[in-house]
Amino acid sequence: MDHSYQAWQEVLAEEFFGRQHVGHPTLFYIDDEVEQELRHGHGMEEPLAQCVGRFLRSGTAEPYRALEDYRWRMWQQDKDGVPAFLPLLACSVIAASRMVNDRNHRATAYHARFSQLLTGDEKRLGSQQYEPISRMWQVLASWQHSQKGARGLCTLPAPADLPSNRSMIGFAQSQSLLSGADRSFLPKLFRSLREHGTTWPLPGETLLAQIEIRGMEQHFSKGFRNALQEEEFRPFLAKLIGNYAASWDGSDALVPTGVTRAELLVRLDAGRLRWVARLRCAEQKKRIELKDGVVLDQLGDTAYYEVTGLPAPSADTLTRGIRRDGDNLVLSRPSSPVLVLARDDVLGVWAGTDGFRPGEAHVVLAAPSAQRDVQRLLDKAATTGRSADTSKLAWVPQGWTLHKPVTFDDAVTLRRALREVQGAVGLLQPPAQFKLRLEGGLKLAPSHDPHLYLRGGEPQVVLPDAVEGTGTLLIDGEERPELRKRIAAGRPVPLAVLRLEPGRHTVSYAGAEVGFATADQAVVEPRMTKVCGFTVVDGKASESPSLLFEQTLPTGITGADCTGATTQDATAAMELCRRDADEVLFAAADGRLWTLEAPEQPDWWAERLADTPAPLRFEADFHGIGGWLLERRSGRWKGRPVNPGTPKPKTAGNPRAWTRAVLNAQQASVDLSWAAYVQAAKELDR
């Protein structure tokens, strides 16, 4: 591949899948006009179709082999990068944008236009050679889903959502239905509908009907108008525009260029509904301040933030929608009369989710305007939770109904019911699956072999969404009858029930295959490429550890070997901490705060210390740092000074966490030194 193709790949990746699309639906829309704008705007010398056409092997059985090989080479260099076949897929969208009746072709004649675009001959690339491009679209969709919204929310349809006669070209067509001008007009349409007091968001079919009733088709592109009239493609168009409505936060633009969106979610924690924000971006700040006194504080090293300064979730705030602006960031939540919560693995509590997850438990809250739709859906598809919970729980918004736990054991029935009911629940479709993959399972030594599992702890198989009858699930080349019921339900298929023998295994479905191995144990030899330890000079150990090289390794201290060495750190202190304490903290004088965890008890304790008195203690060493050691037992704090010094909590660390810890434990000691810490914390808390 030459520089021109690579340059087009980079331009398309940034334009359509850049981080400015975080949390927003993104369409890979490109027509002749957009191609010219990109070419001139980025100084591209060669037109897109001409650049791609030079690498086609037209007239062969595999005309796109050079482009596929280039994609694999790029994938090996960057496995998280945008799949490197965007220029070819962009040409497939341009061909779809040209599908109108003319003197030579019907509006449905796609392949002639695609072949003419890339080769200059409308017959050189036929429909029988298009299957690799269909697979590329599904790879792109799988990649976008794997990014968890950081590169935009995927708008590619699942294979099952496409008309049977568009099973391959429908992916490209789906991206050509809404032009840039169409998407710019959507907020105006949404606002005009919501201003009439309509429950929001409306399902896609209702939106399309409103467009036709109000005669607003004239404001949309010709491609949109043609799709609106096409009965087979109309259901997907409804889903597409419905997803845009569900993500609209009330602003004038769906995706403000260069502005990151933080999603405002609801969590159920300790019997209260609270806000939590999720921010999908590479660089995450610890603290973000927005307008009107709204502050986001990062929760650990996660993508979630605690939100302060907003009215608590209630019947009013949940249905109105919320938006707060900041420096190059927008915090928003679209209005919705239905709130669905599922267990969040990161937060460890119930939190808002975009769609139902088959086989998992949910909490469903419905406003009065949506209660009929929710009840219809549950009656049709739910395994549990059909009846509303009538207990008077304080955290349930006034007038809303509660269903818990709601589970859907049959994903096929759930999808069908969502399509039938539509209404307020029509947008809660389970996430689309585009590729055969493994999930879960008990891995043995993942750093050694990421596909090695403990025997009896085999993973589950997630099947791609596909048209019924397109494939049979084979385990090691054989169909297993005990899995048929789970396959028919459309849920992940557990392999642990098969009691597979140790060794390598394959799973194949609809032409795709994944492999894994099982074993009773894994012996992994440690790979020691670098040795860390303490250098020794004149019988004294260095103050801090470093990498030991050949000349320092023989005399250096590694592991527990410290024969003949003394430490230079005269300020080191050792304290004994109680193992039965509920919490052990160390508040340093400079504002840093540590939580001290009790180490595991050595195996030899049981042999040598059969009558060990309880409670046992563990050692904590403090080198070159002073502060107070705090222990909480039975709700009471006790503290001990460790070279305490004068508290200066503004100089380092997290002053807010330090302040909260010191004030919580202010009764830990009557020592004057501790009183100085408490006073410093109170001054910071003002």
Side-chain angles (χ1 to χ4, degrees):
M1 290 297 158
D2 63 5
H3 174 72
S4 178
Y5 185 91
Q6 183 177 348
W8 268 113
Q9 167 71 21
E10 293 172 356
V11 166
L12 295 170
E14 177 59 28
E15 181 71 21
F16 296 102
F17 303 100
R19 297 192 181 277
Q20 70 271 22
H21 296 293
V22 59
H24 298 268
T26 178
L27 276 168
F28 192 13
Y29 179 84
I30 181 169
D31 57 15
D32 293 299
E33 184 178 348
V34 173
E35 189 271 348
Q36 290 182 19
E37 291 176 358
L38 293 175
R39 181 163 23 119
H40 297 311
H42 293 272
M44 309 295 291
E45 297 181 0
E46 189 173 24
L48 175 61
Q50 182 179 318
C51 173
V52 175
R54 287 193 294 109
F55 299 101
L56 292 183
R57 298 173 179 173
S58 56
T60 68
E62 297 180 308
Y64 316 109
R65 170 48 78 72
L67 302 175
E68 291 181 278
D69 291 344
Y70 175 72
R71 181 254 164 168
W72 278 111
R73 291 197 301 272
M74 293 297 100
W75 180 80
Q76 290 170 346
Q77 297 177 22
D78 182 8
K79 291 182 171 56
D80 288 327
V82 188
F85 38 54
L86 293 187
L88 177 60
L89 297 188
C91 289
S92 71
V93 178
I94 292 176
S97 71
R98 295 180 176 181
M99 291 175 66
V100 293
N101 282 314
D102 56 29
R103 296 180 180 178
N104 301 316
H105 308 98
R106 291 176 292 115
T108 56
Y110 172 84
H111 294 287
R113 292 177 170 87
F114 183 63
S115 181
Q116 178 71 35
L117 174 67
L118 291 180
T119 69
D121 184 341
E122 63 183 36
K123 295 183 179 180
R124 293 192 71 178
L125 295 174
S127 59
Q128 73 279 4
Q129 298 168 312
Y130 195 81
E131 186 174 349
I133 297 180
S134 172
R135 291 199 301 267
M136 292 178 194
W137 277 111
Q138 294 181 63
V139 169
L140 177 63
S142 293
W143 168 82
Q144 200 172 6
H145 279 288
S146 73
Q147 300 301 303
K148 308 294 185 184
R151 298 299 189 93
L153 302 178
C154 182
T155 60
L156 294 176
D161 293 329
L162 294 172
S164 58
N165 62 339
R166 310 285 177 87
S167 60
M168 288 192 289
I169 68 173
F171 298 110
Q173 280 187 283
S174 73
Q175 302 302 286
S176 68
L177 298 179
L178 288 173
S179 68
D182 292 337
R183 280 172 284 149
S184 297
F185 177 71
L186 286 180
K188 300 176 184 176
L189 169 67
F190 297 157
R191 183 172 287 107
S192 68
L193 294 176
R194 199 167 73 171
E195 284 176 352
H196 286 82
T198 308
T199 299
W200 195 262
L202 291 172
E205 278 292 348
T206 304
L207 289 169
L208 295 184
Q210 287 294 326
I211 290 173
E212 293 172 319
I213 292 171
R214 295 164 177 254
M216 303 182 83
E217 305 100 315
Q218 58 183 337
H219 296 288
F220 288 89
S221 63
K222 192 169 185 178
F224 178 89
R225 296 198 301 271
N226 290 339
L228 194 60
Q229 301 301 320
E230 192 173 343
E231 198 62 36
E232 283 188 313
F233 229 89
R234 185 179 174 114
F236 175 72
L237 184 60
K239 179 180 290 188
L240 184 65
I241 198 170
N243 288 340
Y244 270 97
S247 65
W248 179 59
D249 57 14
S251 59
D252 293 330
L254 286 168
V255 183
T257 303
V259 175
T260 301
R261 177 188 172 200
E263 300 168 272
L264 188 62
L265 306 174
V266 178
R267 65 174 174 176
L268 174 57
D269 188 4
R272 290 176 57 191
L273 293 181
R274 311 182 189 198
W275 296 117
V276 63
R278 182 170 57 195
L279 181 58
R280 300 175 173 123
C281 64
E283 298 181 3
Q284 292 178 326
K285 299 179 181 178
K286 291 291 184 183
R287 184 180 176 88
I288 302 172
E289 297 184 1
L290 306 177
K291 293 180 180 178
D292 302 325
V294 177
V295 178
L296 310 183
D297 287 301
Q298 189 177 18
L299 296 172
D301 293 328
T302 71
Y304 291 96
Y305 287 75
E306 185 178 357
V307 181
T308 56
L310 283 179
S314 64
D316 184 44
T317 54
L318 289 173
T319 53
R320 275 193 298 111
I322 295 176
R323 178 187 171 99
R324 294 293 186 275
D325 295 89
D327 185 16
N328 211 32
L329 182 138
V330 170
L331 173 70
S332 66
R333 180 185 186 274
S335 60
S336 176
V338 178
L339 175 63
V340 177
L341 307 173
R343 295 293 298 185
D344 189 284
D345 293 335
V346 177
L347 295 173
V349 296
W350 297 93
T353 181
D354 297 329
F356 291 113
R357 304 171 188 171
E360 295 188 24
H362 305 81
V363 172
V364 180
L365 296 164
S369 60
Q371 288 168 7
R372 179 173 175 271
D373 293 332
V374 168
Q375 191 62 59
R376 288 181 60 209
L377 172 70
L378 300 182
D379 288 341
K380 287 176 176 288
T383 308
T384 62
R386 293 183 180 181
S387 300
D389 191 322
T390 56
S391 57
K392 302 297 183 181
L393 299 175
W395 55 268
V396 177
Q398 187 174 5
W400 288 44
T401 56
L402 166 68
H403 295 262
K404 68 176 181 68
V406 175
T407 57
F408 300 93
D409 284 342
D410 191 323
V412 176
T413 301
L414 171 60
R415 291 180 186 275
R416 186 184 302 119
L418 286 168
R419 286 194 295 268
E420 292 175 359
V421 175
Q422 285 292 316
V425 297
L427 303 168
L428 295 168
Q429 291 278 352
Q433 304 294 337
F434 288 88
K435 64 185 292 188
L436 183 70
R437 62 183 177 86
L438 303 174
E439 72 172 15
L442 300 175
K443 292 187 176 182
L444 280 173
S447 60
H448 175 67
D449 184 350
H451 305 298
L452 178 63
Y453 296 84
L454 178 67
R455 184 187 181 195
E458 292 83 1
Q460 298 185 101
V461 179
V462 178
L463 303 181
D465 296 332
V467 181
E468 292 183 17
T470 58
T472 301
L473 180 65
L474 302 177
I475 312 298
D476 296 332
E478 298 181 2
E479 185 178 3
R480 303 297 293 262
E482 56 264 53
L483 301 180
R484 289 175 183 167
K485 186 175 181 180
R486 185 64 70 102
I487 295 171
R491 291 171 56 191
V493 181
L495 298 179
V497 299
L498 300 179
R499 302 181 182 276
L500 299 172
E501 292 296 322
R504 301 214 64 84
H505 304 279
T506 59
V507 180
S508 56
Y509 179 81
E513 183 177 282
V514 293
F516 67 98
T518 58
D520 291 317
Q521 62 180 353
V523 179
V524 181
E525 294 293 335
R527 286 179 277 182
M528 191 167 59
T529 57
K530 297 179 181 179
V531 178
C532 185
F534 297 83
T535 58
V536 178
V537 179
D538 297 330
K540 292 185 177 181
S542 62
E543 206 172 325
S544 57
S546 62
L547 290 178
L548 301 181
F549 303 98
E550 288 186 23
Q551 60 271 29
T552 58
L553 187 57
T555 59
I557 299 175
T558 60
D561 181 12
C562 54
T563 306
T566 59
T567 179
Q568 292 180 336
D569 188 1
T571 61
M574 188 272 287
E575 293 289 331
L576 293 177
C577 307
R578 298 182 67 105
R579 285 181 175 271
D580 63 341
D582 297 323
E583 191 174 14
V584 181
L585 303 176
F586 182 74
D590 60 4
R592 287 179 288 177
L593 181 73
W594 283 274
T595 299
L596 278 61
E597 300 287 348
E600 294 291 331
Q601 296 184 6
D603 295 335
W604 54 263
W605 278 21
E607 300 173 4
R608 302 185 190 178
L609 304 174
D611 298 324
T612 301
L616 297 171
R617 300 176 181 266
F618 66 93
E619 298 177 4
D621 292 325
F622 303 91
H623 297 270
I625 188 170
W628 272 77
L629 184 64
L630 306 171
E631 293 179 332
R632 180 171 60 85
R633 295 177 63 235
S634 302
R636 297 183 61 185
W637 287 94
K638 289 188 177 181
R640 281 173 284 156
V642 182
N643 300 325
T646 303
K648 298 178 181 179
K650 294 183 179 180
T651 59
N654 186 343
R656 183 180 179 186
W658 186 93
T659 300
R660 186 165 56 245
V662 171
L663 292 179
N664 287 342
Q666 57 184 299
Q667 305 299 328
S669 174
V670 294
D671 193 291
L672 293 178
S673 171
W674 178 241
Y677 276 64
V678 174
Q679 183 60 34
K682 289 180 177 179
E683 290 176 1
L684 280 177
D685 195 45
R686 289 174 180 171

